[in-house]
Amino acid sequence: MPTEEKIELPKDLLEFIAKWKDKQGNLIMILHKTQEHYGYIPRAAAIELAKLLDVPLAKVYGVITFYHFFKLKKPGKNIISVCMGTACYIKGAGDLMAECETLLGCGVNCTTDDEEFSLQGVRCVGCCGLAPLITVGGEVYGKLTPDALPAIIAKYRSK
Amino acid sequence: MAVKNFILVCGGTACESSKGDEIFKALLKSAQKHGVQDDVQIIKTGCFGFCEKGPIVKVLPEEAFYVEVTPEDGEEIIAETIVKGRLVDRLVYKDAEKSKSNSEKIKFYQKQYRVVLRNCGLINPEDIEEYIARDGYLALEKCLTGELTPEDVINHLKISGLRGRGGAGFPTWLKWNFSKNVAADQKYVVCNADEGDPGAYMDRSTCEGDPHSIIEAMAIAGYTCGANQGFIYIRAEYPLAIERLNIAIEQAKDAGLLGKNILGSNFDFDLEIRLGAGAFVCGEETALLASIEGKRGMPIPKPPFPAVKGLWGKPSIINNVETFANIPVILTKGGEWYKSIGTEGSPGTKVFALTGQIENSGLVEVPMGTTLRDIVFDIGGGIKGGRKFKAVQTGGPSGGVITEQFLDTPIDFDTLTSIGSMMGSGGMIVMSEDDCIVDVTKFYLEFCVEESCGKCSPCRIGTKKMHEILEKITSGKGEMSDIQKLKDIGKAMKTASLCGLGQTAANPVLSTLKYFEEEYLEHIQDGKCRAGKCKDLMQYKIIEEKCIGCTVCARKCPVNCIVGERKTPHFINQDKCVKCGACYEACKFDAITIS
Ligand SMILES: Cc1cc2nc3c(=O)[nH]c(=O)nc-3n(C[C@H](O)[C@H](O)[C@H](O)COP(=O)(O)O)c2cc1C
Ligand code: SF4
Ligand code: SF4
Ligand code: FES
Ligand code: FES
């Protein structure tokens, strides 16, 4: 078994853990905070959390893998989320997804080789009035057709 | 000097993500520039419901209703409407007949009746004073001063006939009464704001536009049943709603409306937000409770029901956002008042997220018993682009289709169930002739395959098998025996699955098989998709008479499957065609058809 790399959890996360440590059902909230910091849940951080909270590592992983929101792999610099909720699907989200795959040269739930972009599908971001839409780093681009995508992606590509 | 005008800027998610905040700031800046900042109050509200035409800005008392506003328009709105009292014509909403409407006359709002959304689009959700000014926290005060005893609360709810809005329509008073009558050292109140139905955003908008109504109702639930701790379980995907709820909770604490010894009554009630993490099954109440406990969100068999044995084994009331939002008004206006709205079996109103192929997509609230025709054609403005109506899917992945023949059926919990659909939480997806029923059904099944928690086999295997069969049918490889297989698997899942997800996952299939069997048959027998959505069934063909042999298509085709001499008609080799559509786009003589 490879030796585990060590990780030093950041201060605000440690403070958060201290605040939540004695609350029942704290694991998911702490995982959210961890992912907020790293963009995903690094294995070394999961090991640290298991120790700090005194729960088996298997339980931590059991929870992480159950929920779609938690990521185990480091995402690219920009996360492109294509809404695959019903309202967006009906209005052609499938075509947006296919075009994103072609433009980025990477499949869904994957990251481009240069680590610039990750592509994922999400289930409704609650702006169905703007369907079909994608979000990039929290910014919403609504009422899209595939031909609008190259310009949007270009905006985020670092020079 | 008194304020003369109010400008309401929509701060709902859809408008906010179309620069709502910049519009708000631009208006403030222009008001200063023109020196009218004391004459006008600019307020950022929750969703107006008319998200299709957002961002929305409304000016009172003129009732000017401006749509598709940009930050650059801020200056003109102040200079014209506020300073000179004139409308900015180009921004005023115009209906299909091109006549300008002020907000009272807009058809979108005329058949609506707002109870749940009473404050959305009217008050600043980040200011508790505005909620209080509209009789907010009055019901809680009545409870804590003894004007309403726990028995009175239950009684009002019983008279009102309020049924849970999370989908199942269970009488709310009954649930509260169970929990009230169990003796326990600790009880909980939980708000289900998971809203997992993809394509629905009623609960999100309520949390964003009127968060205090939920907080007040939860405190009342605590008072009624003897609970002093509440949890709001909300999806992490809803950042704006979480932020507004957090602000509201803090303000309520500061105002002494949450926390210890509320309003000097010895009643304590605390509230905490717990985040979901993207699992549809966590909308199911027992799975949701497991998730709050920090575990994998898997359902457990009922009974015992959460009202008796819930969070950490303690009695817990769990209600949906919309259910809670109804409660403060029911208590201030009385159960009788509420009962007078809606239908006999389903009193009150229902909020729907109207989306899909519809002119005016948005949030609509109508009395129960309104017909689908009123919702789709009067409020929704009909099908987008004047296409033909095909069906409406309600109840999301657990629901079914409502077809043209039921357009005039009054909608409530019971009628929807009787025609093979269900109310669900309020998603309403409109489909037109351009949508393929089999394709949309496949979409729902794919969703259920992904979301099945895997605990029980009928659901885990059944959803997967059904999806495979639908995949087969939409790719032109379906067999006649598949129809019966779908029906059999569906029946087994309905009876044998552990939780509501598996029990209802087959509904979209069974319901569309009932009303649209001929479309399934067309796919299977004729290899045809009438909506042209199933790519594998499409054929690109060159019409001999129209083709002049310009060779453009042949040069565009990525797989070189178009053959023909220059200046003679070309042909497509169907075996090699990958249906990319490049030739169709390229032909300038309309010589290529899709069938
Ligand atoms: C798979 C599944 C998903 C559900 N999702 C939700 C949901 O997103 N929101 C909700 O309020 N209720 C949802 N429910 C219903 C809840 O289990 C529960 O009935 C509801 O929260 C009770 O509140 P009510 O009585 O106010 O309706 C779901 C049920 C199932 C089986
Ligand atoms: S029916 Fe599906 S979601 Fe529900 S417990 Fe069984 S496998 Fe899990
Ligand atoms: S649809 Fe695409 S693959 Fe088929 S003939 Fe036309 S260009 Fe070629
Ligand atoms: S379905 Fe895409 S935002 Fe709701
Ligand atoms: S978000 Fe602005 S009208 Fe709905």
Side-chain angles (χ1 to χ4, degrees):
Chain A
M1 203 181 118
T3 44
E4 297 296 349
E5 74 273 39
K6 273 267 184 293
I7 197 167
E8 191 133 341
L9 299 182
K11 194 161 149 272
D12 62 328
L13 180 56
L14 286 172
E15 278 167 11
F16 187 85
I17 295 171
K19 202 173 106 200
W20 279 79
K21 191 163 181 346
D22 296 321
K23 284 199 193 180
Q24 284 178 299
N26 51 15
L27 181 56
I28 292 177
M29 296 303 279
I30 291 173
L31 287 172
H32 270 295
K33 195 80 187 169
T34 311
Q35 178 152 310
E36 204 181 297
H37 182 84
Y38 294 102
Y40 71 116
I41 306 201
R43 185 173 163 82
I47 294 171
E48 247 339 270
L49 290 182
K51 269 193 227 145
L52 285 170
L53 298 174
D54 198 19
V55 292
L57 183 59
K59 182 177 173 199
V60 177
Y61 268 88
V63 170
I64 297 175
T65 52
F66 183 82
Y67 296 97
H68 304 301
F69 195 80
F70 296 130
K71 297 191 179 67
L72 284 168
K73 274 197 246 138
K74 185 166 188 243
K77 222 171 76 204
N78 303 289
I79 300 179
I80 300 187
S81 308
V82 180
C83 179
M84 290 299 236
T86 322
C88 288
Y89 181 79
I90 295 248
K91 292 233 178 142
D95 297 338
L96 292 184
M97 183 61 100
E99 186 68 11
C100 280
E101 288 179 334
T102 316
L103 290 170
L104 295 173
C106 87
V108 61
N109 291 329
C110 293
T111 301
T112 53
D113 292 336
D114 58 7
E115 297 188 351
E116 284 271 313
F117 296 99
S118 288
L119 181 62
Q120 63 180 22
V122 291
R123 299 290 188 185
C124 190
V125 292
C127 311
C128 318
L130 302 178
L133 60 87
I134 68 166
T135 70
V136 190
E139 191 84 9
V140 178
Y141 299 89
K143 299 194 179 176
L144 284 183
T145 49
D147 50 349
L149 288 170
I152 297 173
I153 292 175
K155 250 177 67 180
Y156 289 88
R157 206 181 279 283
S158 44
K159 326 274 162 306
Chain B
M1 194 163 50
V3 173
K4 283 196 311 215
N5 287 98
F6 293 89
I7 304 183
L8 307 176
V9 183
C10 178
T13 286
C15 291
E16 186 89 355
S17 49
S18 316
K19 306 212 165 111
D21 195 50
E22 285 174 45
I23 297 169
F24 177 71
K25 289 189 181 130
L27 286 165
L28 280 178
K29 206 169 131 206
S30 295
Q32 297 242 328
K33 186 178 132 199
H34 289 273
V36 292
Q37 68 272 27
D38 295 329
D39 302 340
V40 54
Q41 194 175 345
I42 304 170
I43 303 167
K44 200 150 96 180
T45 70
C47 172
F48 280 82
F50 208 14
C51 316
E52 175 82 35
K53 293 277 188 283
I56 310 263
V57 171
K58 189 167 156 182
V59 186
L60 300 175
E62 284 86 350
E63 295 280 339
F65 197 84
Y66 295 145
V67 296
E68 295 174 343
V69 178
T70 63
E72 292 72 42
D73 297 328
E75 167 64 21
E76 201 173 339
I77 293 176
I78 296 288
E80 287 295 308
T81 313
I82 303 302
V83 178
K84 301 193 190 127
R86 289 198 298 235
L87 292 183
V88 182
D89 267 354
R90 74 188 165 84
L91 295 176
V92 173
Y93 171 70
K94 296 165 199 77
D95 60 22
E97 288 89 47
K98 297 274 176 273
S99 62
K100 280 178 280 183
S101 306
N102 71 15
S103 54
E104 278 160 359
K105 288 204 211 114
I106 295 175
K107 247 184 156 181
F108 180 76
Y109 288 111
Q110 275 179 355
K111 289 199 172 159
Q112 294 200 46
Y113 188 85
R114 297 190 142 208
V115 176
V116 174
L117 302 176
R118 60 193 177 278
N119 292 325
C120 286
L122 256 180
I123 65 166
N124 174 359
E126 296 183 7
D127 185 354
I128 190 171
E129 294 299 329
E130 295 197 15
Y131 178 68
I132 291 174
R134 299 209 7 112
D135 284 346
Y137 290 107
L138 187 63
L140 179 63
E141 193 186 316
K142 279 189 178 178
C143 290
L144 298 183
T145 52
E147 200 182 321
L148 286 173
T149 63
E151 289 71 30
D152 293 336
V153 173
I154 300 266
N155 210 26
H156 271 297
L157 292 183
K158 188 172 175 180
I159 295 169
S160 76
L162 176 66
R163 297 170 66 173
R165 299 299 195 245
F170 191 80
T172 305
W173 76 271
L174 207 55
K175 197 184 272 188
W176 286 29
N177 209 32
F178 280 139
S179 168
K180 176 174 173 289
N181 291 337
V182 187
D185 55 342
Q186 173 78 58
K187 297 181 188 177
Y188 296 104
V189 178
V190 178
C191 174
N192 187 343
D194 192 52
E195 193 156 65
D197 175 2
Y201 60 107
M202 307 73 52
D203 294 346
R204 165 179 205 155
S205 295
T206 310
C207 293
E208 283 173 5
D210 198 14
H212 285 288
S213 63
I214 299 155
I215 296 173
E216 180 180 3
M218 290 180 74
I220 293 170
Y223 163 79
T224 307
C225 311
N228 59 22
Q229 177 67 50
F231 292 97
I232 300 176
Y233 185 85
I234 184 162
R235 304 166 43 137
E237 289 91 333
Y238 282 2
L240 189 61
I242 297 167
E243 185 190 322
R244 299 242 166 101
L245 281 167
N246 267 321
I247 294 174
I249 291 175
E250 285 312 312
Q251 288 182 347
K253 281 185 183 160
D254 289 343
L257 293 161
L258 278 181
K260 294 253 174 293
N261 193 16
I262 299 175
L263 300 175
S265 64
N266 281 330
F267 170 64
D268 304 340
F269 191 74
D270 248 314
L271 206 51
E272 216 175 76
I273 292 181
R274 290 296 172 101
L275 301 184
F280 174 60
V281 71
C282 287
E284 197 280 335
E285 51 194 14
T286 61
L288 185 149
L289 297 178
S291 185
I292 293 183
E293 292 174 3
K295 302 192 231 160
R296 289 163 74 95
M298 292 205 188
I300 50 170
K302 295 184 276 193
F305 289 95
V308 177
K309 193 163 178 282
L311 206 51
W312 292 294
K314 305 293 181 188
S316 308
I317 293 184
I318 167 161
N319 278 122
N320 163 266
V321 169
E322 192 178 327
T323 313
F324 276 127
N326 272 300
I327 288 170
V329 227
I330 293 179
L331 296 180
T332 42
K333 298 198 178 173
E336 293 289 351
W337 166 80
Y338 194 79
K339 175 94 193 143
S340 70
I341 310 164
T343 61
E344 179 72 31
S346 309
T349 59
K350 180 76 196 85
V351 184
F352 292 103
L354 189 59
T355 60
Q357 316 290 6
I358 183 103
E359 278 294 335
N360 303 328
S361 77
L363 267 200
V364 307
E365 181 172 357
V366 289
M368 291 275 193
T370 304
T371 64
L372 200 57
R373 190 183 298 283
D374 281 344
I375 297 176
V376 173
F377 291 94
D378 284 351
I379 298 173
I383 308 300
K384 196 128 211 151
R387 307 294 290 166
K388 198 169 164 307
F389 174 89
K390 184 181 247 173
V392 166
Q393 168 98 13
T394 59
S398 308
V401 285
I402 312 175
T403 52
E404 196 163 3
Q405 71 196 102
F406 298 113
L407 272 176
D408 293 308
T409 310
I411 299 181
D412 67 17
F413 282 109
D414 309 316
T415 51
L416 283 186
T417 310
S418 75
I419 59 178
S421 183
M422 68 183 257
M423 180 70 82
S425 53
M428 202 174 247
I429 313 269
V430 181
M431 290 178 257
S432 78
E433 57 190 325
D434 295 333
D435 295 302
C436 167
I437 278 291
V438 191
D439 177 64
V440 175
T441 308
K442 187 177 79 178
F443 165 84
Y444 280 117
L445 257 294
E446 188 198 324
F447 178 81
C448 290
V449 171
E450 256 179 50
E451 298 298 335
S452 164
C453 81
K455 180 166 177 165
C456 66
S457 42
C459 167
R460 183 182 66 238
I461 301 170
T463 49
K464 183 101 186 115
K465 278 289 157 219
M466 278 197 153
H467 182 250
E468 277 169 18
I469 295 176
L470 292 172
E471 188 69 55
K472 227 173 104 188
I473 295 177
T474 51
S475 60
K477 302 188 189 104
E479 295 161 56
M480 283 309 286
S481 59
D482 286 335
I483 302 262
Q484 193 54 42
K485 268 190 215 152
L486 284 174
K487 288 182 183 164
D488 292 345
I489 300 173
K491 224 158 105 197
M493 284 168 64
K494 247 181 172 25
T495 32
S497 295
L498 172 60
C499 87
L501 195 157
Q503 286 157 11
T504 58
N507 283 357
V509 181
L510 299 177
S511 144
T512 49
L513 269 177
K514 180 164 170 198
Y515 295 112
F516 292 98
E517 188 164 353
E518 80 280 3
E519 278 198 36
Y520 280 83
L521 295 179
E522 274 171 20
H523 281 74
I524 297 173
Q525 293 176 320
D526 315 334
K528 206 177 119 204
C529 170
R530 62 167 89 170
K533 281 274 149 124
C534 299
K535 278 222 165 116
D536 291 336
L537 300 182
M538 281 193 309
Q539 267 200 357
Y540 287 89
K541 275 199 189 128
I542 297 177
I543 309 168
E544 233 183 294
E545 298 76 47
K546 283 195 176 174
C547 175
I548 62 152
C550 73
T551 74
V552 164
C553 59
R555 278 181 279 136
K556 283 273 174 191
C557 176
V559 291
N560 293 323
C561 68
I562 304 183
V563 290
E565 293 296 316
R566 173 172 280 277
K567 300 211 172 132
T568 62
H570 283 44
F571 295 94
I572 295 175
N573 179 348
Q574 296 299 342
D575 294 339
K576 276 171 75 189
C577 172
V578 295
K579 336 241 178 198
C580 69
C583 54
Y584 179 77
E585 299 283 328
C587 181
K588 291 197 186 64
F589 305 94
D590 289 336
I592 300 180
T593 59
I594 314 174
S595 60

